[in-house]
């Protein structure tokens, strides 16, 4: 049974519209992350969180907000979606120590038109 | 600063051949190092990881990687590849301590020809 689930798995959004990507983990992990993957490229960190009600900026936070209302849930919000935000978004979780494995969701494919 | 470089964007090998995917890292201390695999339309899954001890680490599906501090490398190897190994492979680095930032390379797409 998947321990990190993302929704929606796929979405088409209109430029200027609001998009919310949701992530739920049942791993009881403290850390959660949102990454962006563009075709043919690696993962870039958007936002992360190490405790509920607190989020941190990653390497490419502009145009994105994050919300961590509970340990299990971590959302990525695009208030005004733009064409350049077309990508696949991955959520991941891990335990507190830096040597621990990341557990990924299956990704959310976002197309902005 | 820390970074991970995977110099090969795409590697093509024949089924049954041996494989090496290269990874170079930049970090002043000894990092945690990982290899992840991504199959089409899926998230990443851990293949293996290293922090200390034996520089050769074994992973799932007969993959192994060798850490070299002198070369700042963590190359992934497999003695005999199968067509099902076709995927994108990512090398990643994590610093020690309480900071849990993970840095990824750009990935290497492996194509196994039948």
């Amino acid at each position: 049974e998947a321990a990190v689930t993302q929704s929606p798995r796929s979405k088409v959004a209109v430029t200027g519209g609001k998009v919310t990507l949701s992530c739920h983990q049942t791993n009881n992990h403290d850390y959660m992350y949102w990454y962006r993957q563009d075709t043919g490229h690696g993962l870039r960190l958007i936002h992360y969180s190490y405790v509920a009600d607190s989020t941190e900026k990653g390497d490419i936070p502009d145009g994105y907000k994050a919300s961590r209302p509970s340990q299990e849930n971590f959302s990525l919000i695009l208030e005004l979606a733009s064409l350049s935000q077309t990508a696949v978004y991955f959520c991941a979780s891990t335990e507190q120590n830096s040597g621990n494995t990341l557990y990924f969701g299956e990704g959310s494919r976002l197309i902005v038109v | 600063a820390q970074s991970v470089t995977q110099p090969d964007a795409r590697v093509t090998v024949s089924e049954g051949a041996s494989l090496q995917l290269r990874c170079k890292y930049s970090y002043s201390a000894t990092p945690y190092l990982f290899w992840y695999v991504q199959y089409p339309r899926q998230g990443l899954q851990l293949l293996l990881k290293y922090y200390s001890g034996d520089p050769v680490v074994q992973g799932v599906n007969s993959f192994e990687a060798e850490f070299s501090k002198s070369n700042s490398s963590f190359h992934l190897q497999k003695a005999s590849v199968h067509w099902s190994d076709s995927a994108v492979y990512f090398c990643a680095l994590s610093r020690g301590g309480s900071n849990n930032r993970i840095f990824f390379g750009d990935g290497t797409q492996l194509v196994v020809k039948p």
Side-chain angles (χ1 to χ4, degrees):
Chain A
E1 185 175 344
V4 180
T5 54
Q6 296 181 227
S7 62
R9 291 291 313 279
S10 180
K11 182 175 180 65
V12 178
V14 177
T15 301
K18 181 176 181 178
V19 176
T20 300
L21 304 179
S22 300
C23 179
H24 177 80
Q25 56 108 349
T26 58
N27 297 321
N28 199 34
H29 288 163
D30 293 317
Y31 281 78
M32 295 186 75
Y33 306 81
W34 276 107
Y35 288 94
R36 169 180 172 151
Q37 184 178 40
D38 296 282
T39 303
H41 294 279
L43 300 175
R44 291 185 289 171
L45 182 63
I46 308 170
H47 286 286
Y48 65 104
S49 168
Y50 54 84
V51 68
D53 295 322
S54 178
T55 63
E56 306 291 331
K57 294 181 179 179
D59 299 319
I60 54 164
D62 293 344
Y64 302 93
K65 291 183 180 178
S67 172
R68 180 95 182 267
S70 64
Q71 186 190 39
E72 298 80 15
N73 296 294
F74 190 38
S75 297
L76 185 69
I77 303 148
L78 291 66
E79 295 279 4
L80 295 169
S82 67
L83 295 174
S84 64
Q85 293 177 311
T86 293
V88 179
Y89 293 86
F90 288 98
C91 176
S93 74
T94 190
E95 293 180 281
Q96 184 174 10
N97 298 318
S98 55
N100 285 307
T101 303
L102 277 172
Y103 293 87
F104 284 85
E106 293 194 331
S108 295
R109 184 175 298 271
L110 175 64
I111 298 173
V112 182
V113 297
Chain B
Q2 55 286 307
S3 66
V4 177
T5 301
Q6 295 179 246
D8 304 308
R10 183 182 173 101
V11 169
T12 302
V13 298
S14 297
E15 191 167 27
S18 63
L19 168 71
Q20 184 186 71
L21 301 182
R22 296 184 292 163
C23 173
K24 299 274 287 186
Y25 70 90
S26 174
Y27 185 55
S28 55
T30 299
Y32 292 90
L33 292 164
F34 308 81
W35 276 99
Y36 286 85
V37 60
Q38 183 182 29
Y39 298 104
R41 288 182 166 69
Q42 295 186 26
L44 282 68
Q45 304 168 39
L46 181 73
L47 275 179
L48 47 81
K49 67 179 181 182
Y50 170 83
Y51 177 61
S52 64
D54 188 338
V56 178
V57 291
Q58 305 295 324
V60 300
N61 203 17
S62 302
F63 282 94
E64 67 177 33
E66 183 168 5
F67 170 72
S68 171
K69 187 170 185 177
S70 60
N71 293 325
S72 297
S73 67
F74 189 56
H75 300 331
L76 182 70
Q77 300 168 96
K78 187 170 184 178
S80 177
V81 297
H82 187 264
W83 64 267
S84 60
D85 292 325
S86 296
V88 182
Y89 292 80
F90 291 94
C91 183
L93 172 158
S94 176
R95 302 178 294 204
S98 59
N99 188 307
N100 220 353
R101 287 287 305 270
I102 296 102
F103 300 87
F104 285 86
D106 284 340
T108 297
Q109 178 161 17
L110 172 65
V111 177
V112 180
K113 297 187 300 181

